[in-house]
Amino acid sequence: MAIHFCLGVTLLLSMWATAKCDVPNEAINMECHDRFFVIAVDLAFTGNKPHFEAVDESGVYPITRHRAAQCGYSIGVLPLLGHVELRASYFSCHTENNDDKVFTFNFNLVVANEGKIVSYALSKTCSPSLPWSPREVTCEVNYMEVSVNGEVTCPSETKKENWNAALKSAYTSATSDWQVLLHGSEEQGMPMNLSEAHKRGYSFDLTDSRLVLRAQYGQPESFSTEVNGVPVEAVHATLFSRQGWVVLMVDLVAACSMHEGSYNDSGYMMWDTPEVLHPLMTSQHEAQVKIGVNGELVEEPVAEERGYIVKKQNTIIQISIPYNAEGAIRKSLVSGDLFEFYIFDLYLEQMLFGEDQMDTRLRSHRTLATPLLPRSLFSENRTVPEERVFTVYLGDVPEDVELAAVNLNGQKCKAPFSNESSLTITKVIQPNNNHGYTLKVSMFDPVIRQKFSKADAAMQQTLEINYTLTVLPENEPFYHLASVKAFTDVSPPVFDAVCTESGISFKLDHRPFDYLWEITIDSDLLTSELADQHGYIMSNDSNSLQLEVPLHSQGYQYESFNLKEVIGTFKILIRDPETSEVQSSSIKTCSFTTTELVVCSTDGRMTVVADLALAIPNGGNPARTNLRDKYCGPKETDGSRALFSFSLNSCGSTVKLSKEYVTYENEIFYSKKLRALKNPADPSNDIDRVTMQCTYPLSGLFRLFSVYKFESDKAGFGRIVHSAHSTEGLLSPTMEPTTVFQTPVYTTRRSRRPVSMRPGYQSLVKYIKVSSFRKNLPKKGAKGQLQIKLNPFIAL
């Protein structure tokens, strides 16, 4: 990847017809520094192939690769920063120089805009903020430059052979023009005039007060050496002119460290430079070193705060910079996994102090880069199980990396994330320019894998996450995997219940793990068929289960019977489906007002609240009513109703047996004499006949007794029939009644075993096994029924 490179121009742009425009202020930045001028232009404005031209009074000069190095320009494209940068020496070609104090730069920026070539004029005037040192050396990325004060005498430590060769050449020269002698690493060359030296790639300039030499790296006349293992390149030229018997000579030396930099496992980029790069650039005192980035030197306390380290070892100055120090440029790269590298634009100043105030200021621009470094992201499970939400944090995501998609247990969600469902993804900015993402998913979301763990006695939720991230601007994808689990303590479902005028309403909001239990009414599994059979109103969808239990429905337990109110309790049981063990229950007790009520208990008792308004004559008293047995009267009455409670085998009750049911029946009478005197042909004078029935399934009876004991595992079906006609045929024992008032009384279920009998106080008490009796009943489909009159001393 090209990070910093010089641009070449292959066409003479000055020959093109271009339009002159102004660059928008937000797209360009021009700055004056101590020893150079810099222009930075946004690549979004210039495109990928911008060109610069230098402009002076003589014309317009395209800045090619070769011309940039010879004239003191350094041009680089910095895609990581998003701009193209031109750096120009104050002594660069075509720069207007006023007494080495004021420098004016004029350039053209040439870009292609919608197929047209557009030229933008750029101009800036700068004044150095520091005075010029006797000798200034600049080691740029593509050239070396040295300038000396024109009044400085020749250095006293010049090698004798070099000095003699230059002096001999000057004396033998017959011209007064300035000439130059280049001292290579091998045999001595011949003097040449400045024009010839310019053709060879050297640039000489004489300003108001300074002499300047500039050359690109790798010239034939330059020489390379090593100082304690550090490569150094130097160019040495002697500039002279003969004026009669006087010879004017100036030594110009530029030497630069060519160390490419290194990287260690401690996280530092390092760059080495000799303390003395050339014999003519010696220091009588320890060299002073300042360090900075991007063309800005920083003071020593700031450098220490940023972690920069400068140390001297065996005459070598070693610079160590943390790879992630302020000013570094970072880039992500995908090569199977995610990697990163750092680029550091090092700016270094060395001050060398020589004799006779012959100080040298050496400034170096060097680009250091790390190798590819593995970059790891991390994921952190921040789930709080009580919140029932998976919370996963993906952190340490570089600023040039974005989340493009997530795959949750095989289900893919692409960016942009709408966050409209139970999935939310939030970007979190971190102070170190990194960022992260917080993923939240409800544990009840269908995408979550649910599994009951018997070992942990908890519900295990699992979320496998595959993050898809892309590196910008290349949009190269890579993936990061994470897996989180949560164990949720599961509890049996609990219904919310409210009392209504007509019964009790139960509601259960579904949870994903509710399937672990069975919902029963007594021992029967709650299903839509059971609800229809018992008269419940049930609705069940993906969100909730609602059950309306009307008063008198099977399953109620009644207490505190009176004519003002009846207290009814309904219970829903939650069972373990494997063991049928009751795990929990939802119980609701409500107070109701009712006109009529029949309760057929499991212990063989019938409790009846009956409306007798039509069964007694006008002005009659319900307290004068009785059952078939005249000694069985009401326990409580009001103006029109009566409350009876009696054992099924008492009060003159009759029993009807079929193959599947047993039905007990009794009647309420106001006056048998009145009934006998009634005229059957006069319907207007008819008195309502009130018949009460309790029907039990034979399958729920263990043994059937009329005196000693009654035992049923289910409550019976109760019914009150108001009719002036015969009750015969009103209830078929093989069918459920069409109108049922029922209240099951829940008792502890007894084991299905024979009941041992003890002799009662009446010797005539007998009992018959139901199983044997049923053998003698009419077969299914037969019309016959067996009706038996019960008395206190006869048992079935």
Side-chain angles (χ1 to χ4, degrees), residues 151-163:
E151 299 178 357
V152 176
T153 58
C154 296
S156 59
E157 294 186 7
T158 301
K159 288 186 178 181
K160 184 175 180 180
E161 59 272 20
N162 290 341
W163 181 260

Side-chain angles (χ1 to χ4, degrees), residues 32 37 53-59 61 71 73 88-107 122-128 132 205-208 214:
C32 300
F37 165 64
E53 297 172 335
V55 181
D56 62 14
E57 295 178 351
S58 62
Y61 303 90
C71 283
Y73 305 121
S89 167
Y90 282 146
F91 297 117
S92 58
C93 305
H94 317 294
T95 300
E96 183 181 337
N97 184 341
N98 185 3
D99 196 24
D100 294 332
K101 296 180 180 179
V102 179
F103 301 87
T104 301
F105 299 89
N106 291 287
F107 295 98
L122 310 176
S123 180
K124 186 74 172 180
T125 297
C126 299
S127 295
W132 295 103
D205 192 16
L206 178 61
T207 69
D208 291 337
R214 187 183 307 106

Side-chain angles (χ1 to χ4, degrees), residues 488-613:
T488 304
D489 292 334
V490 293
S491 58
V494 176
F495 285 82
D496 292 327
V498 295
C499 300
T500 65
E501 291 184 359
S502 59
I504 301 177
S505 176
F506 292 89
K507 181 180 180 182
L508 174 67
D509 292 327
H510 288 313
R511 301 173 301 176
F513 46 80
D514 282 347
Y515 69 90
L516 298 173
W517 291 274
E518 287 182 345
I519 303 174
T520 67
I521 307 299
D522 194 11
S523 60
D524 297 325
L525 185 65
L526 178 60
T527 62
S528 57
E529 291 79 6
L530 181 72
D532 292 340
Q533 180 182 354
H534 289 181
Y536 309 150
I537 302 173
M538 186 174 75
S539 62
N540 189 16
D541 56 28
S542 60
N543 297 320
S544 63
L545 166 65
Q546 289 187 324
L547 184 68
E548 303 289 340
V549 183
L551 183 62
H552 309 307
S553 303
Q554 182 174 346
Y556 272 97
Q557 178 180 353
Y558 299 95
E559 56 185 281
S560 183
F561 292 100
N562 57 66
L563 296 178
K564 293 181 179 180
E565 65 175 5
V566 174
I567 297 178
T569 299
F570 196 88
K571 181 187 298 185
I572 298 178
L573 302 179
I574 309 299
R575 299 178 181 270
D576 185 322
E578 295 184 0
T579 65
S580 295
E581 182 181 350
V582 176
Q583 302 294 309
S584 69
S585 61
S586 296
I587 304 173
K588 186 65 175 178
T589 300
C590 300
S591 176
F592 303 98
T593 59
T594 179
T595 303
E596 291 190 324
L597 177 69
V598 178
V599 176
C600 305
S601 67
T602 58
D603 59 352
R605 193 168 191 83
M606 184 188 301
T607 302
V608 180
V609 176
D611 185 358
L612 305 179

Side-chain angles (χ1 to χ4, degrees), residues 358-579:
M358 285 290 294
D359 299 338
T360 300
R361 185 192 303 273
L362 187 150
R363 292 199 173 184
S364 301
H365 294 267
R366 285 294 179 264
T367 300
L368 308 179
T370 68
L372 290 180
L373 308 172
R375 177 61 183 263
S376 299
L377 310 185
F378 74 90
S379 53
E380 182 177 81
N381 186 3
R382 298 181 177 179
T383 301
V384 179
E386 292 75 15
E387 296 177 354
R388 299 294 191 264
V389 175
F390 274 117
T391 303
V392 184
Y393 179 71
L394 176 65
D396 207 18
V397 181
E399 58 183 337
D400 59 346
V401 173
E402 286 188 353
L403 180 63
V406 290
N407 192 299
L408 306 177
N409 288 337
Q411 181 175 323
K412 191 171 185 179
C413 305
K414 294 183 179 180
F417 306 103
S418 61
N419 295 338
E420 293 178 355
S421 63
S422 57
L423 163 68
T424 62
I425 298 180
T426 306
K427 187 173 182 179
V428 180
I429 303 299
Q430 298 173 343
N432 58 357
N433 292 329
N434 293 337
H435 60 278
Y437 296 93
T438 299
L439 168 69
K440 290 190 175 185
V441 186
S442 170
M443 291 183 183
F444 301 137
D445 192 287
V447 76
I448 302 298
R449 292 175 184 163
Q450 306 272 355
K451 180 180 179 182
F452 182 70
S453 173
K454 288 189 175 180
D456 299 297
M459 180 65 69
Q460 175 182 297
Q461 290 102 357
T462 304
L463 180 61
E464 302 286 345
I465 310 172
N466 186 348
Y467 295 95
T468 301
L469 302 107
T470 57
V471 175
L472 304 176
E474 301 86 358
N475 290 324
E476 286 289 333
F478 72 99
Y479 307 94
H480 179 83
L481 303 179
S483 178
V484 291
K485 293 182 179 180
F487 289 90
T488 304
D489 292 334
V490 293
S491 58
V494 176
F495 285 82
D496 292 327
V498 295
C499 300
T500 65
E501 291 184 359
S502 59
I504 301 177
S505 176
F506 292 89
K507 181 180 180 182
L508 174 67
D509 292 327
H510 288 313
R511 301 173 301 176
F513 46 80
D514 282 347
Y515 69 90
L516 298 173
W517 291 274
E518 287 182 345
I519 303 174
T520 67
I521 307 299
D522 194 11
S523 60
D524 297 325
L525 185 65
L526 178 60
T527 62
S528 57
E529 291 79 6
L530 181 72
D532 292 340
Q533 180 182 354
H534 289 181
Y536 309 150
I537 302 173
M538 186 174 75
S539 62
N540 189 16
D541 56 28
S542 60
N543 297 320
S544 63
L545 166 65
Q546 289 187 324
L547 184 68
E548 303 289 340
V549 183
L551 183 62
H552 309 307
S553 303
Q554 182 174 346
Y556 272 97
Q557 178 180 353
Y558 299 95
E559 56 185 281
S560 183
F561 292 100
N562 57 66
L563 296 178
K564 293 181 179 180
E565 65 175 5
V566 174
I567 297 178
T569 299
F570 196 88
K571 181 187 298 185
I572 298 178
L573 302 179
I574 309 299
R575 299 178 181 270
D576 185 322
E578 295 184 0
T579 65

Side-chain angles (χ1 to χ4, degrees), residues 628 653-666 689 691-698 701 704 726-734 773 777-778 784-790 796:
R628 285 176 177 163
S653 298
T654 59
V655 61
K656 297 179 181 179
L657 287 175
S658 69
K659 193 172 184 178
E660 296 181 4
Y661 295 94
V662 56
T663 300
Y664 292 86
E665 184 178 286
N666 211 319
R689 182 178 182 180
T691 303
M692 304 165 295
Q693 296 175 336
C694 279
T695 300
Y696 294 86
L698 285 177
L701 294 172
L704 185 61
S726 173
T727 61
E728 181 147 2
L730 288 177
L731 177 64
S732 173
T734 60
F773 179 82
L777 292 176
Q785 293 183 345
L786 179 64
Q787 182 169 329
I788 303 173
K789 178 74 177 288
L790 297 180
L796 289 177

